[in-house]
Amino acid sequence: MTLAQIGVDVRQAGQGDAVRGVVPRWVALPTSVEEIAAVLRACAEQDLAVTPAGGRTKLGWAASPERCDVLLDLSRMDALLEHAAGDLVVRAQAGLPMDALAAALADKGQELALDVPPGWGATVGGTLAAGLAGPRAFRYGTARDLLIGVTVVLADGTIARSGGKVVKNVAGYDLGKLFTGSYGTLGVIAEATFRLHPLPAGRRWVVAEPDAAEVPAVAAALATAQAEPSAVEVDRPRQDGPVALAALVEGTAAEARAEALREIVGSGTVTAEPPAWWGRIPPGETLAEARFPPAATGAVLEAAGTALRGSPVSGRMLLATDERLGVSTLRKAVEEHGGRVVVLRTPDDDVDRWGQVSALGLMRRVKERFDPGRRMSPGRFVGGL
Amino acid sequence: MDELIAALHSLLPADSVITDPVRLRTYECDGLTYHRATPGVVVLPETAEQIARVVRLCNDFGVPFVARGSGTGLSGGALPREDGVLVVTAKMRRILEIDLPNRRAVVEPGVTNLAITEAVRDQGYYYAPDPSSQQVCSIGGNVAENSGGAHCLKYGFTVNHVEACEIVTPEGDLVTLDRMDPGYDLLGAFIGSEGTLGIATKITVRLSRTPEAVTTVLAAFESIEQGGQAVSAIIGAGIVPAAIEMMDALSIEAAEAAVACAYPAGAGAVLIVELDGPAAEVEQQFARLREICSAAFELRVAAGPAERAAIWKGRKSAFAAVGRISPAYIVQDGVVPRTSLPAVLAAIDRLSREHRIRVANVFHAGDGNLHPLVLFDDGTPGEGERAEVVSGAILDLCIEHGGSITGEHGVGVDKSRYMPRMFGADDLDTMQLVRCAFDPRGLSNPGKVFPTPRLCGEVPGVRKGVHPLVESGKAEQF
Ligand SMILES: Cc1cc2nc3c(=O)[nH]c(=O)nc-3n(C[C@H](O)[C@H](O)[C@H](O)COP(=O)(O)OP(=O)(O)OC[C@H]3O[C@@H](n4cnc5c(N)ncnc54)[C@H](O)[C@@H]3O)c2cc1C
Ligand SMILES: Cc1cc2nc3c(=O)[nH]c(=O)nc-3n(C[C@H](O)[C@H](O)[C@H](O)COP(=O)(O)OP(=O)(O)OC[C@H]3O[C@@H](n4cnc5c(N)ncnc54)[C@H](O)[C@@H]3O)c2cc1C
């Protein structure tokens, strides 16, 4: 059956539906897992290439797809399927906006500990597929650590589940981890189940502006402080400018613990609100992420000739600039300290976005198995996956 | 096999190749002793490079291989192949690097779980996942099983604490899977794959800072229902303890007989709750916990490490202890949503009475991970079979309630036949796509996890119709 015959809403695509410059022919708007499968089967029959889309906030990230005929828009799959509050578990459709999810969970005093900032329209599926880390990854891990079950649809229309709705579960391979951060190149995430956390009794931030040279040592001391910060972030709006540092404490006795952290920093104030830049992606046409062993913080601060924001304790920072990013020099410097540099977004087509990856051969084989026809966002990911 | 053995001798030092039948038999099973097979040959490599060469040789000969750490697995994951090579990591026990500034350690796969903690404890660090077998089990085995421990309620499992693994792929290539690398999360897929995606040869683990305060509480309740209510109330109050363990009367009786743990007499259930973290936080949570456990007829609080160990002693001995009250037993491992615990425990009780088989319940109550110990007398004809029936029915209960057939012991050979009850054919086929990507020839620990191997050459047909989970009504049940 062709796309027009399967009974799923399909409309003509326009410029606004482009995936990093590639304008698809149609936009399909499935409303159920079965409809996603029907769309993908029809695309398989006609060899149409597909890119899934959620809130569309990151369609310009990563590389352009080699081809894109159909934008699979998940915005109509926006149901919160079940919130089992007593089990601290939630299951949602991929198109559910993260804001709506957060609001529903907050009603029951719970949260998904993934710092997606409100107001951008990011969806559950997009957040998983882009796999970005937020400040509290230091304590809770990233999306892959909080995802406990998924339903995915493969390029041939196969519907598959892994995991489940219990946190502790080692039955079978964890497809959820594989799909997290896969940028829509393995298949479509249709539903996801997460473990939740109770909203903390209190939150306090210690906000300071230590001497830039002191930042690595201060961060290292905070990382091992027994007052247990949930996050430590720095923000440097200009290359040679001052560095702001903020540490978050959550839970009971937050005030006293924040005070203990303030003493470690040696300056600063304790506040009930985060600084405005907290957990936000820094502005700039080109955005790169450095991941590194935390002790390399000093080296990264020095090597980055740009604005920069992120976590010196998790070893993750976003570098943003409107100018050309000297990727190879930067990468060389960071790799020397055991780190990596990935260019998340750039207008430049000739940049090596990903750098060397030891397991690229295995990744290629995974892609070949899951999407032998190369129809799922081909070329958008590492090594042209 | 003879040719292969000769080739192995040319690759490895003489004492690294075992062919003596008596010695081979010492490797015939893991912690699950009722599955046995004598390995074709056992090798004890000393380096990753040697493992890679052994695996390449297996590929040349088309012979399967099975990795083995300490052999404490409880699902037959390390069950050898008579026609294959058993690769034992016992000679790879070096801690290669302790890097406190980056809070991590790099270790060889044969290093025991506890050895990592012991190496850094004095500096105020530890390795968080703590399976009860931690004195002996290897970190390679932990990676393969994605092992948990009593404290995984708060701290998570092996997968949340491993930063990188160097692996030998099933085709014999040395590859590093690193959380820092861009691309697919193959590290996440590898951890918990039970040795079916290759052999881990070097593991980078995250070290955690020792918490400032630890408070361990033993609460004795008249009934298991009261204990269960307390668990729900703790979670409902927004407290995430490091551990919440529960034991029923029968398992308390066994522990008493084995280690004289002196738990309060007459308890229908005991809860062990451990709170840890910043002192100020632990103090406030403890005050709250005391209120929540008001139904307990006795509440003990450990004053120090010795008293804490005394409280844990009964729980930690529980598996072995049931040997004191029963000639034979099956250790089951299943998971249910925490809120289904009361219903599931009642159903287990019914099963137990119906089949005249005693079941002692020990479990990680905080995350709904049950370890029912199904007791039977292997000298009485028919009892073993009845125990099997009860044990299997408990897994069905777990699936029915939306849980899992294994929370930490893995699928191995033991539970592969239950996989189709939990997953549909498409689910299993899709998982096997990963297997085919890593191991197209199916040589790495074949016959484990999946009930039927997928022929990797076959082109997957498009399956039509309703998903089996939906058809059976389970998908709507959530
Ligand atoms: C710490 C943190 C800070 C953030 N800060 C900002 C910020 O400052 N500004 C901002 O705009 N956002 C921010 N976000 C939000 C977030 O990064 C993205 O908005 C989100 O990852 C993308 O969601 P989306 O629904 O818009 O995805 P889309 O942009 O629609 O898609 C992103 C990618 O995922 C793929 N994809 C989408 N849905 C699926 C699916 N169901 N299955 C498979 N693949 C899929 C797409 O093909 C695409 O490659 C932040 C998130 C975090 C965690
Ligand atoms: C008394 C007792 C208590 C236990 N308590 C717990 C507990 O609390 N929590 C828990 O999770 N488990 C527990 N277990 C189960 C067991 O200890 C764990 O599964 C452990 O991780 C197995 O480690 P091992 O070194 O003994 O592995 P083995 O039994 O030797 O092997 C287990 C599996 O790992 C594979 N494997 C081993 N090494 C490697 C490697 N280097 N690379 C790839 N694959 C490899 C094997 O092929 C096999 O499939 C317990 C077991 C016992 C006997």
Side-chain angles (χ1 to χ4, degrees):
Chain A
M1 278 199 283
T2 67
L3 206 49
Q5 296 168 323
I6 54 175
V8 176
D9 254 11
V10 175
R11 63 165 172 83
Q12 296 283 323
Q15 289 295 330
D17 301 308
V19 182
R20 197 177 178 276
V22 181
V23 183
R25 287 191 267 172
W26 299 286
V27 176
L29 294 142
T31 59
S32 67
V33 181
E34 288 68 29
E35 285 195 3
I36 297 176
V39 170
L40 291 180
R41 276 197 299 270
C43 290
E45 267 177 43
Q46 297 175 280
D47 190 31
L48 302 176
V50 180
T51 291
R56 303 187 179 198
T57 64
K58 301 288 172 277
L59 292 184
W61 286 32
S64 301
E66 285 157 20
R67 56 193 184 114
C68 179
D69 302 297
V70 176
L71 191 75
L72 190 84
D73 183 320
L74 288 143
S75 58
R76 293 193 187 166
M77 288 189 60
D78 59 353
L80 193 162
L81 298 168
E82 188 178 339
H83 177 199
D87 295 318
L88 287 159
V89 163
V90 72
R91 186 166 67 110
Q93 288 185 322
L96 178 68
M98 293 296 282
D99 291 357
L101 177 63
L105 298 177
D107 264 357
K108 300 272 172 61
Q110 299 183 354
E111 65 164 343
L112 172 58
L114 277 181
D115 308 314
V116 178
W120 291 96
T123 61
V124 163
T127 300
L128 283 171
L132 221 65
R136 290 185 299 163
F138 180 60
R139 173 157 197 169
Y140 299 99
T142 55
R144 58 92 99 159
D145 297 293
L146 298 171
L147 180 70
I148 59 172
V150 274
T151 300
V152 296
V153 188
L154 306 190
D156 65 1
T158 302
I159 299 169
R161 289 158 214 263
S162 94
K165 64 165 187 168
V166 285
V167 172
K168 207 168 177 186
N169 178 5
V170 294
Y173 295 161
D174 193 340
L175 298 177
K177 295 217 167 48
L178 202 59
F179 274 69
T180 301
S182 67
Y183 274 94
T185 61
L186 286 178
V188 180
I189 299 166
E191 291 175 11
T193 307
F194 297 96
R195 76 173 292 189
L196 304 172
H197 285 86
L199 276 171
R203 285 197 172 127
R204 290 290 182 278
W205 281 263
V206 178
V207 185
E209 204 168 281
D211 189 57
E214 301 282 302
V215 165
V218 169
L222 290 172
T224 55
Q226 286 180 313
E228 295 188 6
S230 296
V232 179
E233 294 275 305
V234 297
D235 178 46
R236 186 181 72 184
R238 281 175 298 110
Q239 182 192 349
D240 299 317
V243 181
L245 180 142
L248 166 65
V249 169
E250 293 178 301
T252 35
E255 186 80 33
R257 289 159 57 204
E259 197 48 50
L261 293 185
R262 206 190 63 83
E263 268 165 40
I264 292 174
V265 180
S267 63
T269 49
V270 173
T271 69
E273 292 296 325
W277 51 266
W278 179 268
R280 306 262 157 188
I281 296 172
E285 273 209 317
T286 295
L287 188 70
E289 185 180 48
R291 306 173 186 171
F292 52 90
T297 295
V300 171
L301 287 174
E302 202 178 302
T306 62
L308 157 163
R309 184 178 292 169
S311 175
V313 293
S314 301
R316 257 173 212 273
M317 295 212 189
L318 292 173
L319 284 57
T321 177
D322 285 330
E323 277 145 47
R324 259 190 81 96
L325 183 74
V327 183
S328 49
T329 323
L330 174 68
R331 183 171 280 142
K332 194 159 163 273
V334 174
E335 284 180 353
E336 235 164 62
H337 291 88
R340 315 275 191 282
V341 172
V342 173
V343 181
L344 298 172
R345 177 185 64 211
T346 173
D348 191 346
D349 280 328
D350 305 323
V351 161
D352 174 7
R353 292 162 188 272
W354 315 103
Q356 297 292 315
V357 182
S358 166
L360 185 59
L362 282 175
M363 290 177 193
R364 287 219 166 92
R365 292 218 216 153
V366 169
K367 168 77 174 175
E368 274 161 28
R369 291 285 170 181
F370 277 77
D371 180 23
R374 289 186 65 73
R375 288 189 300 274
M376 295 305 306
S377 306
R380 238 168 105 59
F381 205 28
V382 182
L385 292 172
Chain B
M1 194 49 77
D2 288 347
E3 250 179 89
L4 172 70
I5 289 169
L8 286 170
H9 272 296
S10 69
L11 288 184
L12 302 170
D15 65 346
S16 290
V17 182
I18 295 173
T19 53
D20 169 33
V22 177
R23 287 184 68 197
L24 285 181
R25 225 166 296 127
T26 61
Y27 295 99
E28 67 186 0
C29 65
D30 61 9
L32 186 75
T33 51
Y34 48 84
H35 292 279
R36 288 171 195 271
T38 308
V41 54
V42 170
V43 295
L44 291 143
E46 288 163 351
T47 64
E49 192 46 52
Q50 285 180 354
I51 293 185
R53 281 197 222 124
V54 168
V55 168
R56 285 199 287 267
L57 206 60
C58 288
N59 274 268
D60 293 344
F61 283 82
V63 161
F65 58 89
V66 178
R68 178 183 166 111
S70 305
T72 67
L74 290 173
S75 54
L79 180 74
R81 298 270 302 205
E82 281 168 5
D83 60 348
V85 180
L86 188 71
V87 182
V88 182
T89 59
K91 282 194 182 176
M92 297 176 70
R93 295 206 161 184
R94 282 178 306 158
I95 293 180
L96 300 171
E97 189 188 343
I98 289 175
D99 178 6
L100 291 183
N102 287 310
R103 302 183 300 282
R104 60 191 198 181
V106 185
V107 303
E108 290 185 333
V111 168
T112 63
N113 173 296
L114 190 61
I116 301 176
T117 290
E118 281 174 345
V120 295
R121 186 185 278 139
D122 289 347
Q123 286 102 304
Y125 291 84
Y126 73 113
Y127 174 61
D130 59 340
S132 313
S133 51
Q134 68 179 154
Q135 284 197 359
V136 264
C137 68
S138 72
I139 195 76
N142 290 176
V143 164
E145 300 288 352
N146 188 18
S147 297
H151 295 86
C152 59
L153 176 62
K154 181 171 176 184
Y155 294 105
F157 318 97
T158 302
V159 71
N160 309 114
H161 296 268
V162 169
E163 300 285 338
C165 277
E166 176 193 79
I167 67 165
V168 169
T169 69
E171 293 181 308
D173 298 324
L174 263 176
V175 172
T176 299
L177 311 178
D178 194 318
R179 253 191 109 153
M180 267 194 292
D181 276 334
Y184 301 139
D185 183 5
L186 299 186
L187 180 64
F190 183 84
I191 296 172
S193 64
E194 304 193 23
T196 60
L197 299 181
I199 302 182
T201 51
K202 190 159 83 181
I203 297 140
T204 305
V205 299
R206 175 138 38 92
L207 301 173
S208 303
R209 182 79 165 92
T210 316
E212 187 176 25
V214 182
T215 294
T216 309
V217 177
L218 180 81
F221 296 88
E222 260 146 34
S223 70
I224 200 134
E225 289 74 26
Q226 284 180 342
Q229 281 159 8
V231 173
S232 297
I234 293 167
I235 301 296
I239 300 175
V240 184
I244 312 181
E245 300 287 305
M246 184 139 97
M247 291 168 72
D248 71 357
L250 192 54
S251 49
I252 298 169
E253 179 193 324
E256 196 60 60
V259 297
C261 55
Y263 286 174
V270 294
L271 269 192
I272 298 173
V273 183
E274 195 153 278
L275 300 166
D276 72 8
E281 181 174 52
V282 169
E283 202 175 298
Q284 289 194 15
Q285 290 188 340
F286 174 63
R288 196 68 219 282
L289 180 69
R290 205 183 256 286
E291 287 165 30
I292 289 169
C293 289
S294 59
F297 68 82
E298 190 175 333
L299 200 76
R300 287 184 198 165
V301 185
E307 286 186 34
R308 176 173 320 123
I311 287 180
W312 276 105
K313 191 168 160 193
R315 168 64 187 88
K316 291 207 164 168
S317 70
F319 286 8
V322 292
R324 295 294 185 103
I325 59 165
S326 177
Y329 61 95
I330 301 168
V331 180
Q332 192 45 283
D333 166 43
V335 190
V336 297
R338 185 173 38 235
T339 48
S340 306
L341 272 176
V344 171
L345 288 173
I348 292 178
D349 190 45
R350 277 196 299 278
L351 278 171
S352 163
R353 275 183 282 128
E354 190 183 317
H355 294 274
R356 288 167 291 118
I357 289 290
R358 291 190 299 167
V359 179
N361 283 299
V362 178
F363 45 98
H364 308 297
D367 36 32
N369 187 189
L370 304 165
H371 286 313
L373 302 159
V374 184
L375 314 183
F376 64 100
D377 181 353
D378 44 359
T380 307
E383 267 208 23
E385 288 73 16
R386 294 212 310 281
E388 270 289 333
V389 170
V390 170
S391 178
I394 291 173
L395 291 185
D396 284 331
L397 271 175
C398 292
I399 297 173
E400 230 170 79
H401 285 267
S404 171
I405 57 171
T406 169
E408 53 185 19
H409 295 168
V411 177
V413 276
D414 196 42
K415 289 186 174 166
S416 57
R417 69 206 145 101
Y418 291 99
M419 287 288 276
R421 299 198 200 168
M422 186 167 160
F423 295 109
D426 284 345
D427 307 339
L428 294 173
D429 279 356
T430 303
M431 291 178 193
Q432 294 223 52
L433 292 177
V434 182
R435 174 69 183 271
C436 290
F438 275 74
D439 185 16
R441 299 179 67 192
L443 294 181
S444 192
N445 211 6
K448 313 292 167 67
V449 185
F450 299 104
T452 39
R454 180 178 184 135
L455 299 174
C456 294
E458 86 194 317
V459 181
V462 177
R463 217 174 284 271
K464 295 201 169 63
V466 193
H467 190 277
L469 274 180
V470 177
E471 200 165 39
S472 63
K474 277 180 193 118
E476 304 307 322
Q477 251 181 25
F478 171 73

